[in-house]
């Protein structure tokens, strides 16, 4: 697990592997199918002829629209079947079904299916307004999401005994105190409770409960068995509750002030979607390094919600993410701040671990006063003699923006299957143009090298840098075969059937603007 892959899965979701785009639907529907409801591994097998019957017989029906060739669908299938079995075992009203969207074209068109897998919840036989699935794509996530919709989203707490038992039942619970459970604010609370399925929600309107918990007005209380123990979010009587804002507040304050990066906490860390992460890399076997956590923690409260503080053990679970930061265990202790929108990393001085120094550093980064620390691998000795030139961070600028050359660059990740699939074509392209004076074919490992003004969000990404002034960059988005590549190059960085998407890359800091 490299940190980049974790970020891709958690942050970018569908863009980098959460879904697969719709392929061409060529299968014909089988007109001999009846309305009987068959099953595979406890999952209802649905098609045009039995879909209406399934809706009429099952009050809560979660349907997966899939494609047989889709790798993401294949990986989801075991978890989906296990979730179906778990719901059946607890006699839940909820059932799971699946539709082969490549064969059942009418259903796919009816529900606007354009990527796979797509999950939709049908409630009380309503066919026209299904609810999009918003939970995790694993067994536990599916079960919890369905359980929350099969029963009231929040438990009614009627007296101090039931409230105390509920508050003490889990490490983290949310209770909404409302003078009127029929109010608009209470309805928003129920809506949020239906979505945040990994935390128990309760509601209370009894006057004795307001008194017992020291409240006089509508308030959302987050009870937790760590940090400050309780966080209150008063309901603004004029503005009421905003579902998105409340969800974010609960996500942020549900996390410990300082998290440790482990297998168990990684989902929490990324699902909060906090825009910056401040990381303390240390060796937990060293008592001197462990002591650094005190200053780290003291600085954390100032930036809650804006910066998430995370401790990474370089000899434990965190060892796998070290290459993403260009680190080894011997570099600990050290600090890095990551800007999550573009994976830019900022390095703090090694000898400054006080809470004051940490706060000053973070504020300087947020104010744009600190330059990012860009990774660069070392170039191979023969990097510029190969048919495909091997670029790294420190050589990219001089090659890509050489005004005498037209440079075509593949940005790739070593683990990316799509990159591996086009590798042979790229090598052939390099061989074809190795003797051309003004054309350079190159590649750059974007997981080991970072560029100041170019952010790579998917793999492979292909950019063409034409000769001449202006620091132009053209993104290539057409077929990935040698002949189409050649046509693109011979035509000066464009294809007749589609205009190029041209942008300008600003110069590195310290350089002047490009000539006009």
């Amino acid at each position: 697990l490299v940190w980049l892959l974790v970020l891709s899965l958690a942050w970018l979701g569908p863009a980098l592997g959460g879904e697969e785009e719709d392929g061409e639907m060529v299968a014909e529907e089988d007109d001999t199918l009846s309305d009987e409801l068959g099953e595979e591994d406890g999952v209802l097998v649905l098609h045009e002829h039995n879909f209406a019957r399934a809706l009429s017989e099952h009050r809560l029906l979660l349907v997966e629209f899939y494609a047989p060739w889709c790798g993401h669908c294949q990986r989801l299938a075991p978890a989906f079947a296990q979730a179906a079995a778990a719901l059946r075992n607890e006699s839940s009203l909820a059932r799971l079904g699946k539709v082969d969207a490549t064969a059942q074209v009418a259903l796919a068109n009816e529900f606007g299916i354009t990527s796979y897998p797509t999950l939709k919840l049908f409630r009380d036989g309503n066919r026209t307004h299904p609810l999009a699935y918003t939970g995790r794509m694993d067994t536990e996530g599916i079960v919890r999401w369905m359980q929350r919709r099969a029963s009231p989203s929040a438990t009614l707490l009627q007296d101090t005994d039931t409230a105390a038992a509920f508050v003490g039942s889990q490490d983290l619970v949310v209770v909404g105190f409302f003078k009127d459970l029929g109010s608009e604010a209470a309805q928003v609370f129920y809506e949020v409770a239906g979505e945040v399925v990994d935390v128990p929600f309760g509601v209370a309107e009894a006057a004795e409960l307001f008194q017992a918990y020291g409240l006089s007005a509508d308030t959302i209380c987050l009870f937790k068995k760590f940090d400050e123990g309780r966080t209150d979010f008063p309901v603004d009587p004029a503005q009421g509750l905003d579902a998105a804002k409340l969800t974010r507040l609960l996500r942020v304050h549900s996390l410990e002030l300082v998290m440790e990066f482990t297998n168990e906490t990684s989902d929490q860390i990324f699902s909060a979607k906090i825009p910056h992460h401040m990381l303390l890399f240390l060796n937990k076997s060293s008592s001197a390094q462990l002591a650094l956590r005190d200053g780290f923690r003291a600085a954390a409260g100032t930036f809650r919600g804006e910066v998430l503080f995370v401790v990474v053990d370089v000899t434990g679970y965190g060892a796998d993410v070290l290459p993403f930061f260009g680190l080894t265990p011997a570099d600990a202790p050290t600090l890095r701040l990551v800007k999550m929108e573009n994976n830019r990393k900022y390095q703090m001085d090694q000898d400054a671990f006080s809470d004051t120094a940490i706060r000053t550093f973070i504020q300087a980064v947020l104010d744009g006063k600190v330059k990012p620390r860009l990774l660069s691998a070392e170039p191979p000795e023969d990097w510029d003699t190969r048919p495909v030139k091997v670029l790294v961070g420190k050589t990219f600028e001089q090659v890509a923006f050489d005004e005498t050359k037209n440079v075509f660059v593949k940005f790739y990740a070593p683990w990316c299957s799509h990159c591996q699939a086009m590798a042979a074509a790229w090598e052939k392209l390099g061989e074809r143009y190795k003797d051309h004076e003004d054309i350079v074919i190159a590649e750059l490992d974007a997981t080991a090298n970072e560029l100041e003004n170019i952010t790579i969000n998917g793999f492979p990404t292909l950019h063409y840098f034409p000769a001449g002034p202006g620091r132009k960059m053209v993104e290539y988005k057409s077929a990935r075969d040698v002949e189409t590549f050649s046509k693109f190059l011979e035509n000066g960085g464009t294809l007749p059937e589609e205009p190029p998407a041209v942008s300008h890359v600003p110069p590195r800091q310290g350089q002047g603007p490009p000539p006009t």
Side-chain angles (χ1 to χ4, degrees):
L1 291 175
V2 296
W3 189 278
L4 178 63
L5 180 56
V6 174
L7 291 179
S8 299
L9 296 175
W11 247 248
L12 304 177
L16 291 185
E19 298 177 334
E20 291 191 19
E21 292 299 315
D22 191 1
E24 183 180 2
M25 296 182 179
V26 295
E28 296 183 359
E29 299 177 29
D30 184 358
D31 293 332
T32 65
L33 295 173
S34 72
D35 69 348
E36 293 297 319
L37 294 175
E39 294 185 8
E40 287 182 4
D41 299 323
V43 178
L44 296 173
V45 179
L46 306 177
H47 46 76
E48 185 179 0
H49 301 283
N50 67 4
F51 199 84
R53 177 175 174 178
L55 295 184
S56 68
E57 293 186 7
H58 300 291
R59 189 174 72 83
L60 285 173
L61 181 62
L62 180 66
V63 179
E64 176 201 1
F65 294 85
Y66 72 97
W69 45 259
C70 166
H72 304 301
C73 302
Q74 294 163 9
R75 287 189 288 275
L76 176 63
F80 202 69
Q82 291 164 14
L87 292 169
R88 288 284 292 273
N89 290 340
E90 63 183 34
S91 301
S92 171
L93 295 174
R95 289 296 306 273
L96 305 188
K98 61 182 180 179
V99 171
D100 179 353
T102 66
Q104 302 301 316
V105 179
L107 289 177
N109 291 337
E110 178 181 355
F111 300 113
I113 307 303
T114 59
S115 60
Y116 309 111
T118 295
L119 277 62
K120 293 182 178 290
L121 176 67
F122 296 83
R123 186 190 292 271
D124 297 322
N126 187 321
R127 185 166 181 151
T128 58
H129 294 90
L131 181 67
Y133 178 79
T134 56
R136 299 199 322 251
M137 290 291 201
D138 58 37
T139 301
E140 183 180 13
I142 294 169
V143 170
R144 283 184 174 181
W145 198 84
M146 293 298 287
Q147 287 172 334
R148 190 59 64 90
R149 281 151 183 79
S151 58
S153 59
T155 301
L156 178 62
L157 309 177
Q158 297 180 327
D159 54 46
T160 54
D161 289 339
T162 56
F166 182 80
V167 168
S169 65
Q170 302 285 338
D171 288 344
L172 197 70
V173 300
V174 180
V175 179
F177 292 85
F178 299 97
K179 296 293 182 67
D180 177 11
L181 290 181
S183 67
E184 185 175 341
Q187 300 314 303
V188 173
F189 180 79
Y190 283 120
E191 177 187 337
V192 172
E195 290 298 323
V196 185
V197 299
D198 50 346
V199 181
F201 279 67
V203 288
E205 65 174 347
E208 66 172 303
L209 291 178
F210 275 79
Q211 182 178 1
Y213 289 93
L215 302 171
S216 59
D218 289 0
T219 304
I220 313 302
C221 294
L222 177 64
F223 296 93
K224 44 192 174 181
K225 296 180 180 179
F226 52 86
D227 292 344
E228 67 272 30
R230 169 177 162 179
T231 306
D232 291 357
F233 307 105
V235 178
D236 188 312
Q239 298 183 358
L241 273 182
D242 178 80
K245 183 177 179 180
L246 177 59
T247 299
R248 172 168 169 73
L249 285 171
L250 292 175
R251 287 294 187 197
V252 168
H253 289 270
S254 294
L255 297 173
E256 295 185 44
L257 188 60
V258 176
M259 302 287 292
E260 181 175 351
F261 181 63
T262 67
N263 185 43
E264 292 74 26
T265 63
S266 59
D267 281 344
Q268 291 177 280
I269 288 171
F270 294 115
S271 65
K273 297 186 179 179
I274 295 175
H276 304 86
H277 288 184
M278 184 65 180
L279 310 175
L280 170 58
F281 294 89
L282 54 76
N283 186 332
K284 289 183 67 176
S285 63
S286 166
S287 58
Q289 293 189 28
L290 282 175
L292 299 175
R293 294 182 300 182
D294 295 337
F296 193 63
R297 182 179 184 83
T302 304
F303 302 98
R304 191 158 206 169
E306 181 69 14
V307 181
L308 179 62
F309 282 59
V310 183
V311 173
V312 181
D313 181 10
V314 298
T315 60
Y317 185 76
D320 289 331
V321 308
L322 295 180
F324 178 64
F325 295 90
L327 297 174
T328 67
D331 293 313
T334 187
L335 292 155
R336 296 288 188 277
L337 188 143
V338 184
K339 187 174 291 187
M340 303 307 293
E341 67 176 358
N342 56 15
N343 290 336
R344 289 289 180 262
K345 294 175 278 291
Y346 300 82
Q347 181 175 353
M348 186 175 171
D349 292 338
Q350 301 298 97
D351 57 352
F353 290 94
S354 70
D355 58 312
T356 301
I358 292 172
R359 277 192 290 265
T360 300
F361 169 73
I362 293 175
Q363 193 59 56
V365 173
L366 298 182
D367 293 341
K369 297 177 180 178
V370 181
K371 290 185 64 175
R373 179 182 182 274
L374 302 175
L375 289 179
S376 177
E378 291 299 321
E381 289 186 3
D382 61 343
W383 71 271
D384 59 347
T385 62
R386 301 179 185 182
V388 175
K389 313 305 179 190
V390 180
L391 304 185
V392 296
K394 62 181 66 177
T395 60
F396 178 83
E397 185 83 11
Q398 70 188 63
V399 176
F401 295 109
D402 182 342
E403 295 185 2
T404 68
K405 307 289 186 184
N406 298 291
V407 185
F408 201 10
V409 183
K410 175 183 72 173
F411 298 87
Y412 73 97
W415 43 261
C416 166
S417 59
H418 299 297
C419 302
Q420 295 163 6
M422 69 165 285
W426 202 250
E427 288 295 329
K428 289 180 181 178
L429 188 69
E431 287 287 347
R432 179 173 293 187
Y433 288 95
K434 66 181 180 181
D435 296 323
H436 281 61
E437 287 293 325
D438 61 346
I439 293 180
V440 175
I441 309 301
E443 63 183 10
L444 181 141
D445 178 355
T447 67
N449 299 278
E450 296 169 325
L451 307 172
E452 186 171 345
N453 293 307
I454 300 175
T455 300
I456 304 301
N457 291 321
F459 303 110
T461 291
L462 305 178
H463 284 310
Y464 175 77
F465 301 85
R471 297 175 63 85
K472 293 180 180 179
M473 179 175 73
V474 180
E475 183 173 3
Y476 177 89
K477 292 186 175 181
S478 193
R480 297 171 183 168
D481 61 81
V482 177
E483 296 309 318
T484 309
F485 288 150
S486 294
K487 186 188 299 183
F488 175 80
L489 290 170
E490 299 295 341
N491 204 40
T494 185
L495 290 170
E497 56 269 26
E498 59 178 19
V502 180
S503 59
H504 290 269
V505 181
R508 292 182 299 177
Q509 293 188 15
Q511 292 182 329
T516 58

